[in-house]
Amino acid sequence: MLPMIKKARGRVVNMSSSGGRVAIFGGGYCVSKFGVEAFSDSIRRELHFFGVKVSIIEPGNYKTSILGQEALESRMKKLWDRLPQETRDSYGEEYFQTYTKKLVNLMRSAEPRISDVTNSMEHAIVSRSPRIRYNPGLDVKFLYLTLAKLPTPVTDFILSRYLPRPADSV
């Protein structure tokens, strides 16, 4: 498709996440979103010379089907139960319970109206001058982008006060 996009001086709009700017929780989600960010940045710089515009949508916490139908607590419990006993002992049951509770609370506070996200997508596609990055959601503007722009040790310190401590931590 790249030859057609270049010929039409078209658009590329990639869906990332605030998790692609600052990794608050572990797992593969943030890793994949950091990859989307890097890919988008590199092709934006390359395709600029062909008149192609590349935008990244980095929404905050919205209620979408990414969570699936099964309750988050039961999915987390299944993952926890599959871990080796040594890993579970190292983190401890209290870590798991606190981590799961914080994740569930984060998901419960998710914005149900996704119109800010779809409006960003529309703007990126039809605007004469699309933005490079769109950050729909107040949580992105006031929390995630702030954390991403702070010096890394400061962000680490702030997040260390929010995330639970493993049982074997020093």
Side-chain angles (χ1 to χ4, degrees), residues 9-126:
R9 294 186 180 166
R11 306 278 171 94
V12 175
V13 180
N14 286 326
M15 182 60 70
S16 182
S17 167
S18 56
R21 297 294 289 272
V22 61
I24 293 181
F25 290 104
Y29 181 79
C30 290
V31 172
S32 70
K33 297 307 177 180
F34 271 83
V36 170
E37 296 281 332
F39 174 72
S40 300
D41 286 344
S42 62
I43 65 168
R44 183 186 65 253
R45 293 174 184 130
E46 175 187 340
L47 297 179
H48 165 77
F49 298 108
F50 298 99
V52 174
K53 299 194 188 296
V54 178
S55 296
I56 310 167
I57 314 293
E58 303 167 332
N61 194 16
Y62 284 87
K63 286 188 180 171
T64 65
S65 61
I66 189 172
L67 298 177
Q69 298 300 323
E70 187 180 359
L72 183 58
E73 296 97 328
S74 63
R75 289 196 330 221
M76 292 295 290
K77 181 72 172 130
K78 284 179 184 175
L79 291 171
W80 178 255
D81 290 343
R82 287 192 347 222
L83 291 172
Q85 187 61 46
E86 180 182 356
T87 303
R88 286 184 286 177
D89 291 343
S90 178
Y91 282 87
E93 185 68 27
E94 184 178 341
Y95 174 92
F96 168 70
Q97 294 299 331
T98 304
Y99 187 94
T100 301
K101 183 175 142 190
K102 288 181 182 275
L103 190 58
V104 166
N105 287 339
L106 181 68
M107 294 305 120
R108 281 192 184 127
S109 68
E111 172 62 50
R113 296 170 310 207
I114 64 167
S115 59
D116 289 344
V117 178
T118 56
N119 290 343
S120 296
M121 297 165 81
E122 179 184 17
H123 189 273
I125 294 168
V126 302

Side-chain angles (χ1 to χ4, degrees), residues 121-134:
M121 297 165 81
E122 179 184 17
H123 189 273
I125 294 168
V126 302
S127 171
R128 174 177 251 177
S129 300
R131 295 192 292 254
I132 293 170
R133 285 186 164 75
Y134 292 82

